[in-house]
Amino acid sequence: MRVSPIATRLIALLLAATLVSGCAGRSATEEEQDEFEGVAEQQLYDEARDALEDGRYTTAISRLEAIDTRYPFGRHAEQAQLELIYAYYETSDWEATRAAASRFIRLHPTHPQADYALYMRGLASWQAGRFSLERLRLIDISKRDLGASRDAYTDFRELVSRYPDSEYAPDAEQRIVYLRNVLARHELHVADFYLRKGAYLAAVERGRWVVENYPEAEATRDALAVMVEGYLGLDMRDRAREVLQVLIQNDPGNDRLRGRTFQPQHVRAESLSA
């Protein structure tokens, strides 16, 4: 088949464009690779430290990453990994912060600053779980997806357990208290949803889970109330009365109580007296 002159020129132009773009791509990659070619570890570290002190975190990250890549067993390798965690955190890159902290803990489990890495990993999850309007009390984060907050809770508990004498432990303990209450309230929001939908057994199980896993949370008392109402929905009044007695002992002023009588909120059932 004979190819027309126009088609020939189009093919030639396409090939030329491909070659140009390919060369440009290779040049950009090579430029990135050669940026720190031949730069000594000490120089990279000094530049990174200067950038950190000046708050130029992106610049610091590029130098610290270069040390991590080019001098993995160098004099400043471990410190560069630690400072990368901090630099990522300061740029609000929570995912990179957690990844860098996890890597440091995995590579250096007995390092004197392993507690710092664990604390920063928890702090990154803490920040990832925050919402800008929370401080204005315009939203309740316990109603949101709390995956990041659960990670923070786990990390802070691990820190307090593994490093009770760490300088970061007191702050972690305070955050644990807050997160425990948030996570417990979240479970109760789900339990209330189940009650409204008539999934009474699921509501009871949610309430029991809060009591068993967050016994020190303030929301535990409301979890008992959820269990009472769930048992009423299941028409298990004897079991409901048993839990009601525990509720009265621990929270006689609960909103669902009128003296020693329980008032259901979502379930169509008669009031229950202890």
Side-chain angles (χ1 to χ4, degrees):
M1 183 179 66
R2 183 180 179 183
V3 180
S4 68
I6 295 177
T8 301
R9 287 197 295 272
L10 285 174
I11 293 172
L13 287 172
L14 288 173
L15 287 174
T18 301
L19 289 172
V20 170
S21 62
C23 290
R26 286 197 300 273
S27 297
T29 302
E30 290 171 359
E31 183 178 350
E32 292 174 1
Q33 292 177 347
D34 294 340
E35 181 180 359
F36 302 112
E37 184 69 33
V39 180
E41 179 190 11
Q42 187 63 52
Q43 180 180 341
L44 288 171
Y45 185 72
D46 290 342
E47 292 178 359
R49 288 296 307 171
D50 289 341
L52 286 174
E53 292 176 1
D54 294 339
R56 294 179 289 111
Y57 299 112
T58 301
T59 299
I61 287 172
S62 67
R63 272 63 179 174
L64 294 169
E65 287 179 342
I67 293 174
D68 194 38
T69 301
R70 296 176 178 276
Y71 304 100
F73 305 105
R75 175 184 176 188
H76 299 290
E78 292 182 6
Q79 190 61 31
Q81 292 171 14
L82 281 170
E83 290 172 356
L84 257 179
I85 298 171
Y86 173 75
Y88 286 141
Y89 181 84
E90 288 297 326
T91 58
S92 301
D93 192 338
W94 315 130
E95 184 177 349
T97 303
R98 283 190 57 80
S102 296
R103 177 170 176 260
F104 185 87
I105 294 168
R106 184 179 68 255
L107 295 176
H108 315 288
T110 60
H111 193 280
Q113 290 183 274
D115 61 331
Y116 168 79
L118 183 55
Y119 174 72
M120 291 298 292
R121 189 172 74 180
L123 208 57
S125 291
W126 168 280
Q127 294 292 356
R130 306 279 66 75
F131 295 87
S132 60
L133 297 181
E134 181 192 359
R135 295 179 182 176
L136 300 179
R137 298 181 181 274
L138 297 181
I139 65 171
D140 182 354
I141 67 171
S142 65
K143 296 180 182 179
R144 303 296 186 93
D145 180 11
L146 301 182
S149 293
R150 289 192 184 93
D151 289 339
Y153 181 73
T154 299
D155 287 337
F156 289 139
R157 289 189 66 189
E158 182 180 352
L159 172 64
V160 171
S161 175
R162 291 178 58 185
Y163 308 102
D165 299 325
S166 169
E167 62 181 296
Y168 309 106
D171 182 73
E173 288 174 344
Q174 293 182 12
R175 294 177 190 273
I176 287 171
V177 172
Y178 172 79
L179 288 168
R180 182 167 55 213
N181 289 326
V182 168
L183 294 172
R185 288 207 317 272
H186 175 74
E187 295 298 327
L188 293 185
H189 284 304
V190 176
D192 280 347
F193 171 80
Y194 286 147
L195 288 175
R196 291 193 299 270
K197 295 297 183 181
Y200 304 127
L201 180 58
V204 169
E205 291 301 320
R206 284 280 178 161
R208 179 182 291 114
W209 196 90
V210 170
V211 172
E212 293 176 351
N213 290 274
Y214 304 114
E216 299 177 5
E218 295 177 2
T220 298
R221 298 169 181 178
D222 288 330
L224 292 170
V226 165
M227 293 178 66
V228 174
E229 190 157 354
Y231 280 129
L232 287 176
L234 293 169
D235 198 24
M236 300 174 64
R237 295 183 71 85
D238 289 341
R239 293 298 300 275
R241 187 171 284 107
E242 292 176 3
V243 181
L244 174 57
Q245 291 173 350
V246 178
L247 174 61
I248 293 173
Q249 292 173 3
N250 289 273
D251 189 18
N254 191 277
D255 292 340
R256 308 275 181 95
L257 295 177
R258 299 294 182 272
R260 296 180 63 83
T261 300
F262 182 86
Q263 303 289 335
Q265 184 177 10
H266 303 296
V267 175
R268 293 183 178 178
E270 295 181 1
S271 300
L272 181 71
S273 298

